[in-house]
Amino acid sequence: MTIKFNLKTSAITLSTLLALLVLMSTAFAGSTTITSLPYTASQRGTNFSETLYVAGTKLVSNTNGIDIRGHDIVLYLGADTVTFGAGNGNSNYGLRFYGSGYNDGSSMTAYNIKIIGGTILHAATNDDAAYNKTVNFSGGSNIYFENTNIHVKGNNAHCLERPSSSWGLWNIEFNGGSWTSDVTGFTSRCQYDGAAARLYSALQPVSGDDYHFKIHGVNLTKSPGQGMIIQGKCFVYDCELTVDARNDFYTYPSGGVCANTANSFAIITQKLQPGSAIYNNVIRSGEESLGCDGGILLQLSVGSAESPVEIYDNDVILHRGHDQYYWDLNSKAFKSRYANKHVNIHDNRFVVQVGNTSNSSYGVNGTAVDVVSFWDSGCDWPEGRYPDSFLVYENNYIEVQGMGSDFETATCARFAITNNDGYTWEGAGNVWRNNHLKVLKHGYQIGGYDNWGQCMDLLIEGDTVEYASNSFGNTQYAYNIGFDLSSLGNKARNVGYLGNANYDDVNFVGGSGERTITMQNQYDILVLGNNECPVAGASITVTNNYGRTVMTANTNSNGYATGIINYWFAAEDGPDSTNFNNFTIRATRSGETEVLVTTIDDANRADTLRLDTVEGDCDVDIVPPGDILDLNALPGESDGVIELSWTAPGDDGNSGQADHYQIRYSQSPIHGGNWDQATLAANPPSPASPGSVENHTISGLDEGEAYYIAVKTFDDVDLESGLSNIAEGYAHGIAVPVPMATVVDSVYGSATLTAQIVDSYHSLYYVFELDSLEDYPEPQLNVDLAADTMATVTYNSLSENVSYFWRVAAIASDGADTSAWSISTQFNILTGVAQTLASSDCAFPQDGDAVQSSQPVFKVNNLPEIDTYYFQVDQAEGFSDPVQSGPVAKSSGLTTSWQVSEPLDAGNTYYWRVSSNGMIWTAPIAFTAELDIHPYPNPFRPEAGHNFVTFTNLVEQSDIVIATLSGKIVKHENDIGPDEWQWDVKNDDGDELAPGVYLYSINFPSGSTGGKVVVIR
């Protein structure tokens, strides 16, 4: 089994290309060795025909480094270092790109440039050295950095700098490497003078696959002001960023607003264009100085409805100590301001930490997500001026954590969307949906930023508001409304409340305007006749306490009318209030009107009216099954399993036998507003008689992770019960810790290793292994027995000439269980972190696994600095005749997958491995190929809601024959697979099959299988 790889027609990875370039440079390309600095590279060529090297391992300049004014050049640094600014001068650069940024053939223009490996180091010994730039762009395009480390010192200096007044710049890519700013002071935070990377694009339009900046796999280890400022069409992903505010030029309270460390965000965006994305980044506060003021700042960024800007899957946990100017400045994990439009912010974790009397590194104020979008000068767009609009925040986890008793404000989400002269944007289309807010003090703050700032027409839908444990003496509010603002049209619909939170936990600051926030829920009205049976066609009108009509409808055939009710609203002649929830419901049919006065709120979402002179239809079932009140979830006996138990309700309340269950689970709390978004569990049991104990196993979960689970019961006409109690349980096992940071001290030969701790039903400690070989034959062990939010250890006396690997595992304190080892991280004391593939990166199958398919899917963990993977499978451990993938581009998410193209022989042992370049492979991993082709549901029951029988785990070119017990063929399907085939339980003529037992047989190139399927009608 051999798949031939045609080099001419297949893609080749850049790392492979560069290796070939190095090997063949003498024969096929011009090469130059740089022996002294400064140096100007003005070569011209085609197809990267010039390769530059540096002599020795370290080339030093008192002033500038390398100036590139040519094109089609490869600067191969490898493990070498270019050192500049050793004379402590000002305005020096380590590497500069010159030109207009247009590929106009000018010898002065830098384009088609590759910088491979190495370190570009600012060697100043005096902190007064100012305005130095390690990498400086005055123009250029198609410039690519791979695994290059960039370092700067002094003041008002940057690792990377692109002056806003320079020529166009696009297709600039940074793949891997570390950026470190040891700047000690800067003169203006308003101009982002303390940023590690200040990258402006001149905003020239780009099209197709072009972009301005693409930054991925970068480890930004330190910055005193901001991490990176980006502009244009940009992509930032798979990066780790640490900002640690410091400004030695400023001492509170002297100076001005711009001469301090405020707005020390890790990522600041300006005018992002459609299609831009910031995703899968890890952002943390530094621990040496003031920490980090903010995570991600979104400014003036405009996507489109077809191609929005996206910010997703980022993990932001930070804190901020006392600010040098504002003193008690809020920490903000995410902030948007200044006219952003068509941006989707989803599936992020935004956490800020506040308050600790014994540790000044935690500030006293924190806002996890700050939506304070004001129009001001410079914010005009072609369609007019506006604050934030058409922003969608969805499925985010948002929390403010209390670290002590001295915090003042702690707000999960603040909204103030207006402008400086009172202009507001009605119909803005801003939506919050299915987010989870864990509230320390305030959940939502509507209006109020520096005592002003309105919020208009915001929809909050399906969110969960949960009160965190609060022992700090602060009153908790779900909603904080305030600062004498007239904020109108905001709605909170189908919001769920946990941990003692409630919809009327509202704090009014000053005299708020009319209807600042309106509570809404779906409301169901049932009309019954004089025989207690449902009445169809009854006219329903609902009016509020002031005579306003808030709902009109007619009952359906089941006697129900449903609508959205505003159940909390402002008084007619006074400020907002939670006291006016009285509603009048009128049901009219055949000349009779029945009136019900009731209170509608978060707890009351349904009412019943009865007509004395109208007879209802008793053939209609209107009684739903009873609610499940005792759902319990416990870890199962094998990894990734949760065992459920509950008491069966009845078909009508607790009488009769119900028809079927729906079980849903999620890693966020479930409530009525987000039930449909939770994952549906497969193959729930059929309901037993009322009072029986039911059990169900959910498998395939992430081991050691916490899940929320709920159940609804349905009868044979699909009337559904209410939501069961919400059970929270852990899947069996311990989740794998995630390596977060490797901080190397080359002077003392030490490395501090940090991993994110995991939640567990066990008490845990963390074991680290360090070795010079990726299979850890003789590891050095180190243990963190009392990890807080991070597990951390330090290894000392490490060698400079050794590449090390480290990994971490979590272990139950009682020895009952242990997690798997984490992915490995490789580093060198001199060059820092350099990720390569290890066997532990092979996610599936793992050594000794039996895969239930003859065409398995292989998965490898995504690493930030690797964009292309190669897979091989063979029956021989030496891979003498492998099936191989060729280059496979990295997928979004945690893993990249490849499915073998030819069926494997069932029962045989195989080996697979993976590489980042097609040359250096992981150790072989053994697995066995087995088959698990089967139909489900079996038996097939249409009355249980079954529409198809699905045959799963099919291999390619499968042939399925279905026959009666007497051998008569009723269905024959050729050449199907791989994966699944759905059968509608009809014969070849399209007629439904009669009830009974049928035989199936499946033939495929490497074998066959068969069995029975039962049809019950």
Side-chain angles (χ1 to χ4, degrees):
M1 297 181 297
T2 301
I3 298 175
K4 294 185 177 180
F5 179 53
N6 187 331
L7 189 60
K8 291 183 179 180
T9 59
S10 300
I12 183 169
T13 62
L14 182 61
S15 56
T16 303
L17 172 64
L18 294 171
L20 293 173
L21 282 171
V22 173
L23 291 172
M24 299 188 296
S25 60
T26 302
F28 296 100
S31 64
T32 301
T33 300
I34 303 172
T35 59
S36 64
L37 300 176
Y39 179 86
T40 298
S42 57
Q43 293 95 334
R44 298 181 58 185
T46 58
N47 196 26
F48 301 103
S49 59
E50 297 287 345
T51 302
L52 303 179
Y53 303 91
V54 297
T57 58
K58 189 173 184 179
L59 208 58
V60 180
S61 169
N62 284 333
T63 55
N64 298 321
I66 301 173
D67 192 354
I68 294 183
R69 302 190 175 213
H71 55 85
D72 293 282
I73 296 171
V74 176
L75 174 58
Y76 188 84
L77 296 177
D80 299 334
T81 301
V82 172
T83 302
F84 76 101
N88 293 321
N90 300 331
S91 300
N92 297 142
Y93 60 83
L95 181 63
R96 182 172 69 174
F97 298 91
Y98 179 86
S100 65
Y102 298 95
N103 298 348
D104 57 4
S106 167
S107 62
M108 302 296 287
T109 299
Y111 63 90
N112 293 352
I113 309 295
K114 296 174 182 176
I115 314 298
I116 309 303
T119 298
I120 306 174
L121 177 67
H122 185 204
T125 58
N126 186 341
D127 286 342
D128 291 335
Y131 302 103
N132 293 283
K133 289 91 178 176
T134 305
V135 177
N136 179 248
F137 298 93
S138 62
S141 63
N142 297 306
I143 299 172
Y144 176 88
F145 287 79
E146 183 175 274
N147 293 327
T148 302
N149 301 319
I150 300 169
H151 185 273
V152 74
K153 296 180 179 180
N155 65 70
N156 286 306
H158 308 281
C159 292
L160 301 112
E161 162 77 349
R162 189 274 185 193
S164 58
S165 60
S166 66
W167 290 94
L169 199 68
W170 78 87
N171 287 355
I172 312 300
E173 181 173 359
F174 301 91
N175 179 4
S178 63
W179 300 352
T180 304
S181 173
D182 279 322
V183 167
T184 59
F186 50 92
T187 52
S188 176
R189 62 99 177 179
C190 294
Q191 300 302 316
Y192 307 122
D193 286 343
R198 190 165 62 174
L199 299 171
Y200 300 102
S201 66
L203 293 176
Q204 75 274 23
V206 295
S207 60
D209 293 332
D210 287 342
Y211 51 87
H212 292 109
F213 299 104
K214 183 183 290 185
I215 303 166
H216 54 105
V218 168
N219 183 8
L220 195 156
T221 61
K222 188 195 302 185
S223 183
Q226 297 79 30
M228 62 178 73
I229 297 96
I230 54 174
Q231 185 184 79
K233 185 177 180 181
C234 301
F235 301 89
V236 181
Y237 56 96
D238 296 338
C239 294
E240 296 183 14
L241 303 102
T242 300
V243 174
D244 202 359
R246 174 182 178 178
N247 190 358
D248 292 354
F249 288 177
Y250 186 86
T251 303
Y252 181 86
S254 62
V257 67
C258 282
N260 64 84
T261 58
N263 290 346
S264 57
F265 283 82
I267 301 175
I268 295 179
T269 72
Q270 293 184 332
K271 299 185 178 180
L272 291 185
Q273 295 177 359
S276 297
I278 299 172
Y279 61 95
N280 204 32
N281 300 290
V282 175
I283 297 174
R284 296 291 186 266
S285 295
E287 303 294 337
E288 297 178 9
S289 296
L290 292 176
C292 186
D293 174 49
I296 301 172
L297 175 60
L298 183 72
Q299 301 181 120
L300 298 160
S301 295
V302 177
S304 65
E306 300 77 19
S307 184
V309 173
E310 286 198 271
I311 299 172
Y312 62 95
D313 286 341
N314 298 287
D315 187 23
V316 184
I317 303 176
L318 51 81
H319 59 78
R320 177 58 180 263
H322 295 304
D323 182 79
Q324 290 181 333
Y325 180 76
Y326 293 111
W327 195 248
D328 293 334
L329 186 70
N330 285 328
S331 295
K332 294 168 284 289
F334 182 84
K335 181 174 182 176
S336 66
R337 66 180 182 183
Y338 300 151
N340 301 289
K341 189 173 183 180
H342 288 302
V343 183
N344 292 347
I345 303 101
H346 60 90
D347 297 290
N348 302 281
R349 176 165 68 161
F350 295 130
V351 178
V352 295
Q353 299 168 328
V354 296
N356 191 323
T357 55
S358 64
N359 186 344
S360 62
S361 67
Y362 292 95
V364 297
N365 297 320
T367 301
V369 176
D370 218 10
V371 185
V372 289
S373 182
F374 313 128
W375 176 90
D376 68 1
S377 60
C379 298
D380 277 341
W381 295 96
E383 61 267 43
R385 56 181 188 169
Y386 53 81
D388 278 2
S389 58
F390 303 103
L391 268 61
V392 178
Y393 293 78
E394 193 166 25
N395 298 325
N396 300 289
Y397 179 84
I398 301 164
E399 181 180 5
V400 182
Q401 296 176 347
M403 311 302 290
S405 59
D406 64 342
F407 70 85
E408 294 179 3
T409 65
T411 302
C412 280
R414 175 169 57 182
F415 306 96
I417 306 175
T418 182
N419 81 321
N420 290 353
D421 58 9
Y423 173 81
T424 58
W425 180 259
E426 297 185 40
N430 295 313
V431 176
W432 274 59
R433 183 181 295 117
N434 298 331
N435 302 287
H436 180 188
L437 281 63
K438 194 164 186 180
V439 177
L440 183 65
K441 186 174 182 181
H442 297 146
Y444 309 97
Q445 180 163 305
I446 309 296
Y449 184 81
D450 293 342
N451 294 334
W452 57 281
Q454 295 169 296
C455 180
M456 309 289 288
D457 295 327
L458 172 71
L459 173 61
I460 301 169
E461 184 174 26
D463 275 13
T464 300
V465 177
E466 177 185 5
Y467 281 174
S469 176
N470 187 339
S471 59
F472 309 110
N474 290 277
T475 302
Q476 293 171 298
Y477 293 104
Y479 302 88
N480 191 39
I481 311 296
F483 299 110
D484 298 299
L485 302 171
S486 180
S487 295
L488 304 177
N490 304 296
K491 302 175 182 66
R493 179 181 300 165
N494 293 338
V495 175
Y497 303 90
L498 298 174
N500 298 319
N502 202 305
Y503 77 93
D504 62 1
D505 291 341
V506 181
N507 180 43
F508 293 108
V509 181
S512 295
E514 182 186 7
R515 277 167 281 159
T516 296
I517 183 75
T518 298
M519 306 298 170
Q520 296 182 332
N521 273 314
Q522 180 174 306
Y523 187 64
D524 298 319
I525 300 168
L526 173 63
V527 178
L528 300 178
N530 53 18
N531 55 355
E532 289 296 305
C533 296
V535 174
S539 175
I540 301 297
T541 302
V542 183
T543 56
N544 66 18
N545 199 54
Y546 305 104
R548 299 194 198 105
T549 298
V550 296
M551 174 183 163
T552 59
N554 292 321
T555 57
N556 60 19
S557 59
N558 294 322
Y560 278 97
T562 298
I564 299 296
I565 291 289
N566 300 338
Y567 65 86
W568 176 70
F569 51 92
E572 287 285 345
D573 54 358
D576 286 348
S577 172
T578 61
N579 298 323
F580 302 94
N581 288 307
N582 293 333
F583 291 81
T584 301
I585 305 172
R586 290 176 172 83
T588 302
R589 172 71 192 274
S590 302
E592 180 185 352
T593 298
E594 182 68 22
V595 177
L596 173 68
V597 178
T598 187
T599 296
I600 299 173
D601 55 26
D602 184 61
N604 180 32
R605 299 188 179 187
D607 272 303
T608 300
L609 290 87
R610 291 172 172 81
L611 300 175
D612 294 335
T613 62
V614 178
E615 185 174 326
D617 184 356
C618 290
D619 291 332
V620 177
D621 183 357
I622 61 168
V623 181
D627 296 347
I628 294 170
L629 304 175
D630 60 350
L631 179 64
N632 188 40
L634 295 173
E637 295 184 0
S638 57
D639 287 343
V641 170
I642 288 179
E643 299 289 351
L644 304 179
S645 64
W646 67 92
T647 301
D651 178 277
D652 297 330
N654 290 316
S655 300
Q657 193 163 328
D659 186 75
H660 63 280
Y661 295 115
Q662 276 193 14
I663 303 172
R664 292 183 181 268
Y665 60 90
S666 173
Q667 291 189 276
S668 297
I670 297 174
H671 54 77
N674 64 10
W675 160 260
D676 289 335
Q677 282 72 48
T679 301
L680 189 63
N683 302 319
S686 296
S689 58
S692 301
V693 176
E694 304 273 38
N695 296 282
H696 184 64
T697 298
I698 303 178
S699 58
L701 305 174
D702 294 331
E703 61 182 89
E705 296 289 348
Y707 289 86
Y708 297 88
I709 304 156
V711 182
K712 284 186 178 181
T713 310
F714 295 79
D715 65 15
D716 56 358
V717 294
D718 277 341
L719 290 177
E720 64 184 65
S721 70
L723 204 59
S724 71
N725 64 294
I726 310 302
E728 184 177 5
Y730 285 90
H732 183 276
I734 300 175
V736 180
V738 178
M740 299 300 297
T742 305
V743 179
V744 174
D745 188 331
S746 58
V747 175
Y748 293 99
S750 67
T752 299
L753 317 178
T754 303
Q756 179 74 52
I757 68 167
V758 296
D759 292 328
S760 179
Y761 53 97
H762 295 289
S763 174
L764 302 176
Y765 66 93
Y766 296 82
V767 175
F768 292 75
E769 284 191 345
L770 179 75
D771 207 324
S772 59
L773 296 175
E774 66 177 6
D775 57 350
Y776 300 87
E778 298 180 356
Q780 299 180 47
L781 299 180
N782 210 331
V783 179
D784 188 344
L785 295 173
D788 186 5
T789 58
M790 295 287 178
T792 303
V793 297
T794 299
Y795 285 88
N796 297 305
S797 303
L798 301 180
S799 301
E800 292 183 353
N801 59 349
V802 174
S803 289
Y804 291 96
F805 297 86
W806 72 271
R807 61 185 182 179
V808 60
I811 300 177
S813 298
D814 60 3
D817 201 358
T818 180
S819 75
W821 287 106
S822 71
I823 61 173
S824 290
T825 298
Q826 184 183 9
F827 70 92
N828 183 286
I829 286 296
L830 291 180
T831 60
V833 177
Q835 291 181 324
T836 59
L837 286 169
S839 298
S840 57
D841 298 316
C842 298
F844 179 83
Q846 297 186 357
D847 201 50
D849 280 353
V851 298
Q852 302 299 315
S853 172
S854 64
Q855 290 183 270
V857 175
F858 300 92
K859 295 182 180 181
V860 61
N861 292 317
N862 285 336
L863 298 185
E865 298 182 4
I866 298 176
D867 287 331
T868 305
Y869 297 87
Y870 295 78
F871 297 80
Q872 285 187 344
V873 181
D874 204 337
Q875 282 188 271
E877 191 172 3
F879 291 86
S880 56
D881 187 23
V883 174
Q884 51 192 8
S885 66
V888 178
K890 176 192 288 186
S891 302
S892 61
L894 298 177
T895 62
T896 293
S897 302
W898 170 69
Q899 185 172 29
V900 65
S901 58
E902 300 181 15
L904 306 181
D905 294 329
N908 288 345
T909 297
Y910 286 85
Y911 299 89
W912 77 284
R913 62 184 185 177
V914 67
S915 169
S916 62
N917 54 21
M919 295 181 293
I920 301 174
W921 299 89
T922 63
I925 295 175
F927 68 96
T928 303
E930 296 183 0
L931 292 180
D932 185 27
I933 298 174
H934 65 276
Y936 72 91
N938 193 4
F940 170 79
R941 297 174 61 240
E943 67 178 14
H946 301 159
N947 296 313
F948 300 93
V949 171
T950 299
F951 287 82
T952 188
N953 292 328
L954 296 172
V955 301
E956 203 167 26
Q957 298 179 345
S958 290
D959 184 3
I960 297 184
V961 175
I962 300 171
T964 65
L965 291 176
S966 63
K968 181 182 177 180
I969 296 176
V970 296
K971 185 70 175 178
H972 187 188
E973 196 77 14
N974 285 314
D975 196 18
I976 58 176
D979 299 327
E980 295 182 345
W981 174 64
Q982 286 188 327
W983 175 40
D984 57 4
V985 199
K986 296 179 181 179
N987 62 23
D988 285 330
D989 295 327
D991 299 323
E992 291 185 348
L993 292 191
V997 178
Y998 295 84
L999 304 176
Y1000 69 87
S1001 62
I1002 305 174
N1003 296 286
F1004 42 88
S1006 60
S1008 64
T1009 187
K1012 297 178 181 179
V1013 61
V1014 179
V1015 176
I1016 301 175
R1017 295 189 186 275

